[in-house]
Every structure is written in structure tokens, then in C-alpha cells.
PDB file of all heavy atoms in Angstrom:
ATOM      1  N   ARG J   1       0.856  -1.188   0.000  1.00 83.00           N
ATOM      2  CA  ARG J   1       0.000   0.000   0.000  1.00 83.00           C
ATOM      3  C   ARG J   1       0.891   1.237   0.000  1.00 83.00           C
ATOM      4  O   ARG J   1       1.257   1.760   1.046  1.00 83.00           O
ATOM      5  CB  ARG J   1      -0.912  -0.010   1.236  1.00 83.00           C
ATOM      6  CG  ARG J   1      -2.066  -0.992   1.128  1.00 83.00           C
ATOM      7  CD  ARG J   1      -2.883  -0.997   2.396  1.00 83.00           C
ATOM      8  NE  ARG J   1      -3.453   0.280   2.730  1.00 83.00           N
ATOM      9  CZ  ARG J   1      -4.636   0.723   2.292  1.00 83.00           C
ATOM     10  NH1 ARG J   1      -5.348  -0.017   1.485  1.00 83.00           N
ATOM     11  NH2 ARG J   1      -5.094   1.891   2.666  1.00 83.00           N
ATOM     12  N   PRO J   2       1.254   1.721  -1.173  1.00 80.00           N
ATOM     13  CA  PRO J   2       2.069   2.932  -1.233  1.00 80.00           C
ATOM     14  C   PRO J   2       1.243   4.137  -0.821  1.00 80.00           C
ATOM     15  O   PRO J   2       0.013   4.122  -0.891  1.00 80.00           O
ATOM     16  CB  PRO J   2       2.476   3.013  -2.713  1.00 80.00           C
ATOM     17  CG  PRO J   2       1.372   2.300  -3.429  1.00 80.00           C
ATOM     18  CD  PRO J   2       0.937   1.195  -2.511  1.00 80.00           C
ATOM     19  N   PRO J   3       1.886   5.204  -0.377  1.00 78.00           N
ATOM     20  CA  PRO J   3       1.137   6.409   0.006  1.00 78.00           C
ATOM     21  C   PRO J   3       0.447   7.031  -1.197  1.00 78.00           C
ATOM     22  O   PRO J   3       0.978   7.051  -2.306  1.00 78.00           O
ATOM     23  CB  PRO J   3       2.210   7.339   0.581  1.00 78.00           C
ATOM     24  CG  PRO J   3       3.501   6.828   0.025  1.00 78.00           C
ATOM     25  CD  PRO J   3       3.331   5.356  -0.165  1.00 78.00           C
ATOM     26  N   THR J   4      -0.781   7.525  -0.989  1.00 76.00           N
ATOM     27  CA  THR J   4      -1.510   8.214  -2.047  1.00 76.00           C
ATOM     28  C   THR J   4      -1.107   9.683  -2.114  1.00 76.00           C
ATOM     29  O   THR J   4      -1.337  10.351  -3.107  1.00 76.00           O
ATOM     30  CB  THR J   4      -3.026   8.119  -1.815  1.00 76.00           C
ATOM     31  OG1 THR J   4      -3.336   8.671  -0.516  1.00 76.00           O
ATOM     32  CG2 THR J   4      -3.478   6.670  -1.843  1.00 76.00           C
ATOM     33  N   GLY J   5      -0.548  10.175  -1.022  1.00 66.00           N
ATOM     34  CA  GLY J   5      -0.016  11.538  -0.984  1.00 66.00           C
ATOM     35  C   GLY J   5       1.442  11.466  -0.589  1.00 66.00           C
ATOM     36  O   GLY J   5       1.940  10.420  -0.169  1.00 66.00           O
ATOM     37  N   ASP J   6       2.162  12.550  -0.749  1.00 68.00           N
ATOM     38  CA  ASP J   6       3.587  12.548  -0.450  1.00 68.00           C
ATOM     39  C   ASP J   6       3.843  12.107   0.994  1.00 68.00           C
ATOM     40  O   ASP J   6       3.210  12.583   1.931  1.00 68.00           O
ATOM     41  CB  ASP J   6       4.178  13.945  -0.661  1.00 68.00           C
ATOM     42  CG  ASP J   6       4.269  14.294  -2.139  1.00 68.00           C
ATOM     43  OD1 ASP J   6       4.268  13.350  -2.957  1.00 68.00           O
ATOM     44  OD2 ASP J   6       4.326  15.486  -2.471  1.00 68.00           O
ATOM     45  N   SER J   7       4.780  11.196   1.161  1.00 72.00           N
ATOM     46  CA  SER J   7       5.237  10.781   2.481  1.00 72.00           C
ATOM     47  C   SER J   7       6.745  10.974   2.522  1.00 72.00           C
ATOM     48  O   SER J   7       7.486  10.185   1.925  1.00 72.00           O
ATOM     49  CB  SER J   7       4.882   9.313   2.735  1.00 72.00           C
ATOM     50  OG  SER J   7       5.417   8.890   3.968  1.00 72.00           O
ATOM     51  N   PRO J   8       7.206  12.002   3.171  1.00 79.00           N
ATOM     52  CA  PRO J   8       8.638  12.352   3.103  1.00 79.00           C
ATOM     53  C   PRO J   8       9.501  11.556   4.073  1.00 79.00           C
ATOM     54  O   PRO J   8      10.516  12.052   4.539  1.00 79.00           O
ATOM     55  CB  PRO J   8       8.622  13.832   3.477  1.00 79.00           C
ATOM     56  CG  PRO J   8       7.484  13.954   4.435  1.00 79.00           C
ATOM     57  CD  PRO J   8       6.440  12.968   3.961  1.00 79.00           C
ATOM     58  N   PHE J   9       9.119  10.310   4.369  1.00 91.00           N
ATOM     59  CA  PHE J   9       9.843   9.544   5.368  1.00 91.00           C
ATOM     60  C   PHE J   9      10.319   8.210   4.806  1.00 91.00           C
ATOM     61  O   PHE J   9       9.675   7.622   3.939  1.00 91.00           O
ATOM     62  CB  PHE J   9       8.961   9.273   6.595  1.00 91.00           C
ATOM     63  CG  PHE J   9       8.329  10.504   7.173  1.00 91.00           C
ATOM     64  CD1 PHE J   9       6.984  10.746   6.996  1.00 91.00           C
ATOM     65  CD2 PHE J   9       9.090  11.427   7.880  1.00 91.00           C
ATOM     66  CE1 PHE J   9       6.394  11.886   7.519  1.00 91.00           C
ATOM     67  CE2 PHE J   9       8.512  12.569   8.402  1.00 91.00           C
ATOM     68  CZ  PHE J   9       7.159  12.802   8.222  1.00 91.00           C
ATOM     69  N   LYS J  10      11.424   7.747   5.324  1.00 92.00           N
ATOM     70  CA  LYS J  10      11.868   6.392   5.066  1.00 92.00           C
ATOM     71  C   LYS J  10      12.048   5.700   6.407  1.00 92.00           C
ATOM     72  O   LYS J  10      12.275   6.349   7.437  1.00 92.00           O
ATOM     73  CB  LYS J  10      13.169   6.372   4.264  1.00 92.00           C
ATOM     74  CG  LYS J  10      14.402   6.884   5.000  1.00 92.00           C
ATOM     75  CD  LYS J  10      15.641   6.703   4.135  1.00 92.00           C
ATOM     76  CE  LYS J  10      16.898   7.189   4.882  1.00 92.00           C
ATOM     77  NZ  LYS J  10      18.113   7.009   4.060  1.00 92.00           N
ATOM     78  N   HIS J  11      11.932   4.385   6.393  1.00 94.00           N
ATOM     79  CA  HIS J  11      11.928   3.621   7.631  1.00 94.00           C
ATOM     80  C   HIS J  11      12.908   2.458   7.514  1.00 94.00           C
ATOM     81  O   HIS J  11      12.941   1.747   6.512  1.00 94.00           O
ATOM     82  CB  HIS J  11      10.527   3.078   7.922  1.00 94.00           C
ATOM     83  CG  HIS J  11       9.450   4.124   7.857  1.00 94.00           C
ATOM     84  ND1 HIS J  11       9.179   4.960   8.906  1.00 94.00           N
ATOM     85  CD2 HIS J  11       8.598   4.473   6.864  1.00 94.00           C
ATOM     86  CE1 HIS J  11       8.190   5.781   8.560  1.00 94.00           C
ATOM     87  NE2 HIS J  11       7.829   5.495   7.330  1.00 94.00           N
ATOM     88  N   THR J  12      13.702   2.264   8.528  1.00 96.00           N
ATOM     89  CA  THR J  12      14.597   1.120   8.632  1.00 96.00           C
ATOM     90  C   THR J  12      14.454   0.524  10.026  1.00 96.00           C
ATOM     91  O   THR J  12      13.905   1.169  10.928  1.00 96.00           O
ATOM     92  CB  THR J  12      16.070   1.515   8.388  1.00 96.00           C
ATOM     93  OG1 THR J  12      16.445   2.516   9.349  1.00 96.00           O
ATOM     94  CG2 THR J  12      16.271   2.065   6.980  1.00 96.00           C
ATOM     95  N   PHE J  13      14.934  -0.708  10.199  1.00 97.00           N
ATOM     96  CA  PHE J  13      14.831  -1.313  11.520  1.00 97.00           C
ATOM     97  C   PHE J  13      16.063  -2.141  11.826  1.00 97.00           C
ATOM     98  O   PHE J  13      16.851  -2.519  10.945  1.00 97.00           O
ATOM     99  CB  PHE J  13      13.574  -2.183  11.633  1.00 97.00           C
ATOM    100  CG  PHE J  13      13.699  -3.552  11.016  1.00 97.00           C
ATOM    101  CD1 PHE J  13      14.153  -4.638  11.760  1.00 97.00           C
ATOM    102  CD2 PHE J  13      13.345  -3.769   9.695  1.00 97.00           C
ATOM    103  CE1 PHE J  13      14.260  -5.902  11.205  1.00 97.00           C
ATOM    104  CE2 PHE J  13      13.439  -5.037   9.126  1.00 97.00           C
ATOM    105  CZ  PHE J  13      13.905  -6.106   9.883  1.00 97.00           C
ATOM    106  N   LYS J  14      16.225  -2.433  13.107  1.00 97.00           N
ATOM    107  CA  LYS J  14      17.283  -3.307  13.585  1.00 97.00           C
ATOM    108  C   LYS J  14      16.728  -4.171  14.709  1.00 97.00           C
ATOM    109  O   LYS J  14      16.105  -3.649  15.637  1.00 97.00           O
ATOM    110  CB  LYS J  14      18.479  -2.485  14.077  1.00 97.00           C
ATOM    111  CG  LYS J  14      19.632  -3.338  14.613  1.00 97.00           C
ATOM    112  CD  LYS J  14      20.879  -2.493  14.864  1.00 97.00           C
ATOM    113  CE  LYS J  14      20.658  -1.461  15.931  1.00 97.00           C
ATOM    114  NZ  LYS J  14      21.907  -0.704  16.258  1.00 97.00           N
ATOM    115  N   GLU J  15      16.932  -5.478  14.607  1.00 97.00           N
ATOM    116  CA  GLU J  15      16.574  -6.356  15.715  1.00 97.00           C
ATOM    117  C   GLU J  15      17.674  -6.271  16.753  1.00 97.00           C
ATOM    118  O   GLU J  15      18.817  -6.636  16.489  1.00 97.00           O
ATOM    119  CB  GLU J  15      16.414  -7.795  15.230  1.00 97.00           C
ATOM    120  CG  GLU J  15      15.984  -8.748  16.343  1.00 97.00           C
ATOM    121  CD  GLU J  15      15.967 -10.197  15.888  1.00 97.00           C
ATOM    122  OE1 GLU J  15      15.142 -10.541  15.015  1.00 97.00           O
ATOM    123  OE2 GLU J  15      16.805 -10.973  16.405  1.00 97.00           O
ATOM    124  N   VAL J  16      17.341  -5.770  17.951  1.00 95.00           N
ATOM    125  CA  VAL J  16      18.365  -5.534  18.966  1.00 95.00           C
ATOM    126  C   VAL J  16      18.365  -6.585  20.063  1.00 95.00           C
ATOM    127  O   VAL J  16      19.290  -6.621  20.878  1.00 95.00           O
ATOM    128  CB  VAL J  16      18.190  -4.130  19.591  1.00 95.00           C
ATOM    129  CG1 VAL J  16      18.428  -3.056  18.542  1.00 95.00           C
ATOM    130  CG2 VAL J  16      16.817  -3.967  20.227  1.00 95.00           C
ATOM    131  N   ALA J  17      17.350  -7.427  20.106  1.00 96.00           N
ATOM    132  CA  ALA J  17      17.324  -8.484  21.112  1.00 96.00           C
ATOM    133  C   ALA J  17      16.441  -9.619  20.637  1.00 96.00           C
ATOM    134  O   ALA J  17      15.418  -9.396  19.980  1.00 96.00           O
ATOM    135  CB  ALA J  17      16.822  -7.961  22.455  1.00 96.00           C
ATOM    136  N   CYS J  18      16.863 -10.828  20.945  1.00 97.00           N
ATOM    137  CA  CYS J  18      16.080 -12.039  20.684  1.00 97.00           C
ATOM    138  C   CYS J  18      16.148 -12.867  21.959  1.00 97.00           C
ATOM    139  O   CYS J  18      17.135 -13.561  22.215  1.00 97.00           O
ATOM    140  CB  CYS J  18      16.629 -12.790  19.482  1.00 97.00           C
ATOM    141  SG  CYS J  18      15.577 -14.137  18.908  1.00 97.00           S
ATOM    142  N   ILE J  19      15.133 -12.742  22.795  1.00 96.00           N
ATOM    143  CA  ILE J  19      15.149 -13.266  24.155  1.00 96.00           C
ATOM    144  C   ILE J  19      14.485 -14.637  24.196  1.00 96.00           C
ATOM    145  O   ILE J  19      13.326 -14.785  23.790  1.00 96.00           O
ATOM    146  CB  ILE J  19      14.403 -12.314  25.115  1.00 96.00           C
ATOM    147  CG1 ILE J  19      14.931 -10.885  24.982  1.00 96.00           C
ATOM    148  CG2 ILE J  19      14.492 -12.803  26.549  1.00 96.00           C
ATOM    149  CD1 ILE J  19      14.011  -9.844  25.614  1.00 96.00           C
ATOM    150  N   ASP J  20      15.214 -15.630  24.680  1.00 95.00           N
ATOM    151  CA  ASP J  20      14.595 -16.934  24.914  1.00 95.00           C
ATOM    152  C   ASP J  20      13.706 -16.793  26.145  1.00 95.00           C
ATOM    153  O   ASP J  20      14.174 -16.745  27.278  1.00 95.00           O
ATOM    154  CB  ASP J  20      15.669 -17.995  25.136  1.00 95.00           C
ATOM    155  CG  ASP J  20      15.079 -19.402  25.198  1.00 95.00           C
ATOM    156  OD1 ASP J  20      13.844 -19.526  25.331  1.00 95.00           O
ATOM    157  OD2 ASP J  20      15.847 -20.371  25.124  1.00 95.00           O
ATOM    158  N   SER J  21      12.411 -16.723  25.914  1.00 94.00           N
ATOM    159  CA  SER J  21      11.462 -16.391  26.986  1.00 94.00           C
ATOM    160  C   SER J  21      11.277 -17.521  27.996  1.00 94.00           C
ATOM    161  O   SER J  21      10.680 -17.298  29.054  1.00 94.00           O
ATOM    162  CB  SER J  21      10.105 -16.046  26.370  1.00 94.00           C
ATOM    163  OG  SER J  21       9.514 -17.213  25.815  1.00 94.00           O
ATOM    164  N   LYS J  22      11.711 -18.714  27.649  1.00 92.00           N
ATOM    165  CA  LYS J  22      11.495 -19.921  28.451  1.00 92.00           C
ATOM    166  C   LYS J  22      10.052 -20.407  28.385  1.00 92.00           C
ATOM    167  O   LYS J  22       9.695 -21.423  28.979  1.00 92.00           O
ATOM    168  CB  LYS J  22      11.906 -19.708  29.920  1.00 92.00           C
ATOM    169  CG  LYS J  22      13.357 -19.246  30.075  1.00 92.00           C
ATOM    170  CD  LYS J  22      13.686 -18.949  31.528  1.00 92.00           C
ATOM    171  CE  LYS J  22      15.078 -18.322  31.658  1.00 92.00           C
ATOM    172  NZ  LYS J  22      15.360 -17.923  33.042  1.00 92.00           N
ATOM    173  N   HIS J  23       9.190 -19.659  27.649  1.00 93.00           N
ATOM    174  CA  HIS J  23       7.867 -20.172  27.315  1.00 93.00           C
ATOM    175  C   HIS J  23       8.018 -21.029  26.058  1.00 93.00           C
ATOM    176  O   HIS J  23       8.790 -20.696  25.160  1.00 93.00           O
ATOM    177  CB  HIS J  23       6.886 -19.041  26.990  1.00 93.00           C
ATOM    178  CG  HIS J  23       6.810 -17.956  28.018  1.00 93.00           C
ATOM    179  ND1 HIS J  23       6.374 -18.162  29.302  1.00 93.00           N
ATOM    180  CD2 HIS J  23       7.106 -16.635  27.936  1.00 93.00           C
ATOM    181  CE1 HIS J  23       6.403 -17.012  29.971  1.00 93.00           C
ATOM    182  NE2 HIS J  23       6.846 -16.073  29.158  1.00 93.00           N
ATOM    183  N   LEU J  24       7.292 -22.106  25.976  1.00 91.00           N
ATOM    184  CA  LEU J  24       7.298 -22.883  24.734  1.00 91.00           C
ATOM    185  C   LEU J  24       6.651 -22.101  23.604  1.00 91.00           C
ATOM    186  O   LEU J  24       7.007 -22.243  22.442  1.00 91.00           O
ATOM    187  CB  LEU J  24       6.575 -24.216  24.946  1.00 91.00           C
ATOM    188  CG  LEU J  24       7.229 -25.187  25.941  1.00 91.00           C
ATOM    189  CD1 LEU J  24       6.373 -26.429  26.101  1.00 91.00           C
ATOM    190  CD2 LEU J  24       8.638 -25.544  25.495  1.00 91.00           C
ATOM    191  N   ASP J  25       5.680 -21.268  23.961  1.00 95.00           N
ATOM    192  CA  ASP J  25       4.930 -20.478  22.991  1.00 95.00           C
ATOM    193  C   ASP J  25       4.580 -19.165  23.683  1.00 95.00           C
ATOM    194  O   ASP J  25       3.922 -19.169  24.717  1.00 95.00           O
ATOM    195  CB  ASP J  25       3.673 -21.239  22.581  1.00 95.00           C
ATOM    196  CG  ASP J  25       2.971 -20.651  21.368  1.00 95.00           C
ATOM    197  OD1 ASP J  25       3.204 -19.467  21.067  1.00 95.00           O
ATOM    198  OD2 ASP J  25       2.179 -21.370  20.738  1.00 95.00           O
ATOM    199  N   VAL J  26       5.036 -18.046  23.157  1.00 96.00           N
ATOM    200  CA  VAL J  26       4.767 -16.748  23.781  1.00 96.00           C
ATOM    201  C   VAL J  26       3.403 -16.251  23.301  1.00 96.00           C
ATOM    202  O   VAL J  26       3.200 -16.042  22.102  1.00 96.00           O
ATOM    203  CB  VAL J  26       5.848 -15.713  23.417  1.00 96.00           C
ATOM    204  CG1 VAL J  26       5.581 -14.399  24.142  1.00 96.00           C
ATOM    205  CG2 VAL J  26       7.230 -16.237  23.762  1.00 96.00           C
ATOM    206  N   TRP J  27       2.497 -16.034  24.232  1.00 95.00           N
ATOM    207  CA  TRP J  27       1.146 -15.602  23.860  1.00 95.00           C
ATOM    208  C   TRP J  27       0.937 -14.105  24.051  1.00 95.00           C
ATOM    209  O   TRP J  27       0.122 -13.504  23.347  1.00 95.00           O
ATOM    210  CB  TRP J  27       0.108 -16.382  24.660  1.00 95.00           C
ATOM    211  CG  TRP J  27      -0.114 -17.749  24.103  1.00 95.00           C
ATOM    212  CD1 TRP J  27       0.473 -18.916  24.501  1.00 95.00           C
ATOM    213  CD2 TRP J  27      -0.960 -18.091  23.001  1.00 95.00           C
ATOM    214  NE1 TRP J  27       0.047 -19.964  23.718  1.00 95.00           N
ATOM    215  CE2 TRP J  27      -0.839 -19.490  22.798  1.00 95.00           C
ATOM    216  CE3 TRP J  27      -1.805 -17.369  22.179  1.00 95.00           C
ATOM    217  CZ2 TRP J  27      -1.537 -20.166  21.793  1.00 95.00           C
ATOM    218  CZ3 TRP J  27      -2.508 -18.044  21.181  1.00 95.00           C
ATOM    219  CH2 TRP J  27      -2.370 -19.420  20.995  1.00 95.00           C
ATOM    220  N   GLN J  28       1.629 -13.511  24.995  1.00 95.00           N
ATOM    221  CA  GLN J  28       1.444 -12.080  25.229  1.00 95.00           C
ATOM    222  C   GLN J  28       2.782 -11.433  25.556  1.00 95.00           C
ATOM    223  O   GLN J  28       3.635 -12.032  26.217  1.00 95.00           O
ATOM    224  CB  GLN J  28       0.460 -11.824  26.381  1.00 95.00           C
ATOM    225  CG  GLN J  28      -0.986 -12.167  26.040  1.00 95.00           C
ATOM    226  CD  GLN J  28      -1.942 -11.789  27.157  1.00 95.00           C
ATOM    227  OE1 GLN J  28      -1.655 -11.980  28.333  1.00 95.00           O
ATOM    228  NE2 GLN J  28      -3.083 -11.241  26.796  1.00 95.00           N
ATOM    229  N   VAL J  29       2.940 -10.199  25.097  1.00 97.00           N
ATOM    230  CA  VAL J  29       4.126  -9.413  25.406  1.00 97.00           C
ATOM    231  C   VAL J  29       3.691  -7.960  25.540  1.00 97.00           C
ATOM    232  O   VAL J  29       2.780  -7.502  24.838  1.00 97.00           O
ATOM    233  CB  VAL J  29       5.207  -9.581  24.311  1.00 97.00           C
ATOM    234  CG1 VAL J  29       4.733  -9.047  22.965  1.00 97.00           C
ATOM    235  CG2 VAL J  29       6.500  -8.926  24.721  1.00 97.00           C
ATOM    236  N   GLY J  30       4.306  -7.236  26.467  1.00 96.00           N
ATOM    237  CA  GLY J  30       3.910  -5.844  26.671  1.00 96.00           C
ATOM    238  C   GLY J  30       5.009  -5.049  27.339  1.00 96.00           C
ATOM    239  O   GLY J  30       5.852  -5.602  28.062  1.00 96.00           O
ATOM    240  N   TRP J  31       5.000  -3.748  27.084  1.00 95.00           N
ATOM    241  CA  TRP J  31       5.966  -2.827  27.670  1.00 95.00           C
ATOM    242  C   TRP J  31       5.405  -2.166  28.916  1.00 95.00           C
ATOM    243  O   TRP J  31       4.194  -1.943  29.014  1.00 95.00           O
ATOM    244  CB  TRP J  31       6.329  -1.728  26.675  1.00 95.00           C
ATOM    245  CG  TRP J  31       7.114  -2.172  25.487  1.00 95.00           C
ATOM    246  CD1 TRP J  31       6.641  -2.435  24.231  1.00 95.00           C
ATOM    247  CD2 TRP J  31       8.529  -2.396  25.439  1.00 95.00           C
ATOM    248  NE1 TRP J  31       7.668  -2.818  23.412  1.00 95.00           N
ATOM    249  CE2 TRP J  31       8.837  -2.803  24.114  1.00 95.00           C
ATOM    250  CE3 TRP J  31       9.561  -2.301  26.377  1.00 95.00           C
ATOM    251  CZ2 TRP J  31      10.142  -3.104  23.709  1.00 95.00           C
ATOM    252  CZ3 TRP J  31      10.851  -2.606  25.975  1.00 95.00           C
ATOM    253  CH2 TRP J  31      11.138  -3.000  24.658  1.00 95.00           C
ATOM    254  N   SER J  32       6.281  -1.805  29.829  1.00 91.00           N
ATOM    255  CA  SER J  32       5.899  -0.912  30.916  1.00 91.00           C
ATOM    256  C   SER J  32       5.623   0.465  30.330  1.00 91.00           C
ATOM    257  O   SER J  32       5.989   0.766  29.192  1.00 91.00           O
ATOM    258  CB  SER J  32       7.017  -0.817  31.956  1.00 91.00           C
ATOM    259  OG  SER J  32       8.182  -0.230  31.381  1.00 91.00           O
ATOM    260  N   TYR J  33       4.980   1.329  31.113  1.00 84.00           N
ATOM    261  CA  TYR J  33       4.615   2.648  30.591  1.00 84.00           C
ATOM    262  C   TYR J  33       5.855   3.435  30.174  1.00 84.00           C
ATOM    263  O   TYR J  33       5.835   4.172  29.187  1.00 84.00           O
ATOM    264  CB  TYR J  33       3.826   3.442  31.637  1.00 84.00           C
ATOM    265  CG  TYR J  33       3.320   4.769  31.115  1.00 84.00           C
ATOM    266  CD1 TYR J  33       2.182   4.822  30.314  1.00 84.00           C
ATOM    267  CD2 TYR J  33       3.984   5.961  31.408  1.00 84.00           C
ATOM    268  CE1 TYR J  33       1.720   6.025  29.818  1.00 84.00           C
ATOM    269  CE2 TYR J  33       3.524   7.163  30.908  1.00 84.00           C
ATOM    270  CZ  TYR J  33       2.390   7.191  30.120  1.00 84.00           C
ATOM    271  OH  TYR J  33       1.936   8.378  29.619  1.00 84.00           O
ATOM    272  N   ALA J  34       6.957   3.270  30.896  1.00 84.00           N
ATOM    273  CA  ALA J  34       8.187   3.992  30.582  1.00 84.00           C
ATOM    274  C   ALA J  34       8.973   3.347  29.444  1.00 84.00           C
ATOM    275  O   ALA J  34       9.946   3.921  28.945  1.00 84.00           O
ATOM    276  CB  ALA J  34       9.073   4.095  31.818  1.00 84.00           C
ATOM    277  N   GLY J  35       8.575   2.146  29.032  1.00 87.00           N
ATOM    278  CA  GLY J  35       9.252   1.485  27.933  1.00 87.00           C
ATOM    279  C   GLY J  35      10.603   0.899  28.304  1.00 87.00           C
ATOM    280  O   GLY J  35      11.433   0.647  27.432  1.00 87.00           O
ATOM    281  N   ASP J  36      10.832   0.636  29.589  1.00 88.00           N
ATOM    282  CA  ASP J  36      12.130   0.098  30.007  1.00 88.00           C
ATOM    283  C   ASP J  36      12.040  -1.327  30.541  1.00 88.00           C
ATOM    284  O   ASP J  36      13.063  -1.924  30.875  1.00 88.00           O
ATOM    285  CB  ASP J  36      12.760   1.003  31.063  1.00 88.00           C
ATOM    286  CG  ASP J  36      11.879   1.171  32.301  1.00 88.00           C
ATOM    287  OD1 ASP J  36      10.690   0.782  32.242  1.00 88.00           O
ATOM    288  OD2 ASP J  36      12.368   1.697  33.307  1.00 88.00           O
ATOM    289  N   CYS J  37      10.839  -1.874  30.642  1.00 94.00           N
ATOM    290  CA  CYS J  37      10.649  -3.236  31.112  1.00 94.00           C
ATOM    291  C   CYS J  37       9.659  -3.954  30.191  1.00 94.00           C
ATOM    292  O   CYS J  37       8.773  -3.331  29.605  1.00 94.00           O
ATOM    293  CB  CYS J  37      10.101  -3.264  32.542  1.00 94.00           C
ATOM    294  SG  CYS J  37      11.171  -2.496  33.765  1.00 94.00           S
TER     295      CYS J  37
END
């Protein structure tokens, strides 16, 4: 879905962590309000 109007942004990403959760199957994940936990 390309933008229908000008979008002056580009986006890149980096995977910074891959945590073995010790769950066989992770069903839920969430951040603390401050984004540090």
C-alpha cells in the first residue's frame, strides 16, 4: 500500500534483542509505561 499523498519519510529497523522467553509459545508481550521493562 504505497502512500496516495507525499510521504517524506523512510523507515529502517534493527533487531536488537532475541530473548529466549522460556515459554514454549509466547502468547502475550507488553511494555511498561516507561518502555524500560
Side-chain angles (χ1 to χ4, degrees):
R1 285 177 59 88
T4 57
D6 288 339
S7 175
F9 308 106
K10 68 175 181 179
H11 309 278
T12 58
F13 80 90
K14 179 170 64 175
E15 182 186 294
V16 295
C18 190
I19 308 165
D20 188 346
S21 69
K22 304 176 187 175
H23 308 297
L24 295 177
D25 192 340
V26 183
W27 281 95
Q28 289 185 319
V29 64
W31 292 99
S32 64
Y33 185 79
D36 58 348
C37 299

